[in-house]
C-alpha cells in the first residue's frame, strides 16, 4: 500500500529491512549501539563489521535520538541508528520518545541529502511497544515530517510478517480516512 503525502510517497511493504535499496535504512538499536537481536542483529550480520566499528567510535545514543553510519555491505548507502522507548520502563513518555526516534532519524536523512528511508517498526519487538499503539504514532510522525520536508521523497515501512503489515495498513487507512 502507498499514499502520497505532499510531493512524497509513504509506502508499507512486508519484508526484511536488510534487503532494502533505499538511500538509508533505520536500525532499531539500543543506547550502547553495540548490537543486539532483532533488526539490530540482522543489520549487523548482513552489513558486516564496518558498521559496528563506526558505532563503537560514536560511543552510544540516548533514547529518542539517532546517529548515522556507513552501511557496509548493505544495498543502502547509510544506516541511521535510533533508540526507541522501552514500553514498560518509559511509561507515559513512551509515545513522545517513539515520535522523537522517527523524527530525529528523518532529520539526519535530510541533513545528509538522503532522499529515501526505510523504517522497521521501532520498539515493537524486544522493547515491548504494542504494535497497535505504535503504528499510528509512527505513521503520523512520518506524515507530519514529510508535509514539511519534500526533500525526503519516499519513506517505506518494512513490516516483518503479514500481521505487522496488516496492523500498519489498518492504521494508515484510519489516518487517511480510507
Ligand atoms: N526486518 C524488518 N523488521 C524486523 C526484522 C527485519 N529483519 N527483524 C525483526 N523485525 P526489535 P525494538 C521487527 O526487537 O523492539 C535489539 O536487541 C520485529 O518483528 O528488532 O526496538 C536492540 O539491540 C519488531 O516488530 O527492536 C535493542 O536492544 C520490530 O522489527 C532492542 O532489540 C522491532 O523489533 C530494540 O528493541
Amino acid at each position: 500500500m502507498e499514499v502520497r503525502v505532499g510531493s512524497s510517497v509513504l509506502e508499507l511493504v512486508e519484508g526484511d529491512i536488510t534487503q532494502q535499496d533505499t538511500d538509508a535504512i533505520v536500525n532499531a538499536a539500543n543506547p550502547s549501539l553495540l548490537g543486539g537481536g532483532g533488526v539490530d542483529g540482522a543489520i549487523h550480520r548482513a552489513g558486516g563489521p564496518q558498521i559496528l566499528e563506526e558505532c563503537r567510535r560514536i560511543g552510544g545514543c540516548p533514547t529518542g535520538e539517532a546517529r548515522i553510519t556507513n552501511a557496509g555491505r548493505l544495498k543502502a548507502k547509510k544506516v541511521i541508528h535510533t533508540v526507541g522507548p522501552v514500553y514498560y520502563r518509559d511509561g507515559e513518555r513512551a509515545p513522545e520518545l517513539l515520535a522523537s526516534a522517527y523524527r530525529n532519524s528523518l532529520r539526519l536523512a535530510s541533513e545528509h541529502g538522503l532522499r529515501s528511508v526505510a523504517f522497521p517498526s521501532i520498539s515493537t519487538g524486544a522493547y515491548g511497544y504494542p504494535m497497535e499503539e505504535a503504528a499510528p504514532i509512527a505513521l503520523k510522525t512520518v506524515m507530519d515530517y514529510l508535509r514539511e520536508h519534500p526533500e525526503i521523497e519516499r519513506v517505506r515501512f518494512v513490516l516483518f510478517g503479514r500481521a505487522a503489515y496488516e496492523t500498519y495498513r489498518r492504521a494508515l487507512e484510519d489516518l487517511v480516512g480510507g
Side-chain angles (χ1 to χ4, degrees):
M1 176 184 186
E2 63 176 53
V3 297
R4 282 206 155 270
V5 184
S7 59
S8 310
V9 172
L10 170 60
E11 71 174 322
L12 310 181
V13 303
E14 183 187 340
D16 179 349
I17 192 85
T18 64
Q19 301 306 308
Q20 306 305 311
D21 58 1
T22 41
D23 288 348
I25 65 171
V26 176
N27 182 17
N30 63 64
S32 76
L33 294 186
L34 295 180
V39 167
D40 202 1
I43 286 177
H44 284 291
R45 256 193 319 278
Q50 251 196 313
I51 304 176
L52 194 60
E53 180 54 39
E54 214 175 313
C55 282
R56 210 172 270 130
R57 283 201 299 273
I58 291 169
C61 176
T63 303
E65 295 190 17
R67 302 288 185 266
I68 191 163
T69 68
N70 72 80
R73 296 193 294 257
L74 297 169
K75 287 183 212 156
K77 295 182 190 140
K78 296 281 182 184
V79 177
I80 294 172
H81 306 261
T82 190
V83 182
V86 178
Y87 188 70
Y88 293 102
R89 183 198 67 195
D90 291 319
E92 61 186 26
R93 294 185 61 228
E96 187 45 40
L97 287 168
L98 185 64
S100 293
Y102 282 97
R103 232 175 356 248
N104 285 322
S105 297
L106 289 168
R107 206 171 282 154
L108 266 184
S110 291
E111 285 168 11
H112 288 261
L114 303 165
R115 294 183 177 159
S116 56
V117 182
F119 280 101
S121 177
I122 296 165
S123 284
T124 62
Y127 280 0
Y129 215 122
M131 202 171 277
E132 285 74 13
E133 290 181 37
I137 295 169
L139 291 166
K140 184 170 188 310
T141 303
V142 168
M143 289 171 87
D144 287 349
Y145 189 90
L146 290 179
R147 282 193 195 95
E148 297 191 348
H149 295 272
E151 73 276 10
I152 305 286
E153 295 168 0
R154 176 173 294 263
V155 170
R156 178 183 299 159
F157 279 89
V158 181
L159 290 325
F160 206 52
R162 201 68 202 167
Y165 175 82
E166 287 300 328
T167 301
Y168 270 73
R169 186 184 59 75
R170 280 193 297 272
L172 184 55
E173 281 175 358
D174 285 348
L175 278 170
V176 299

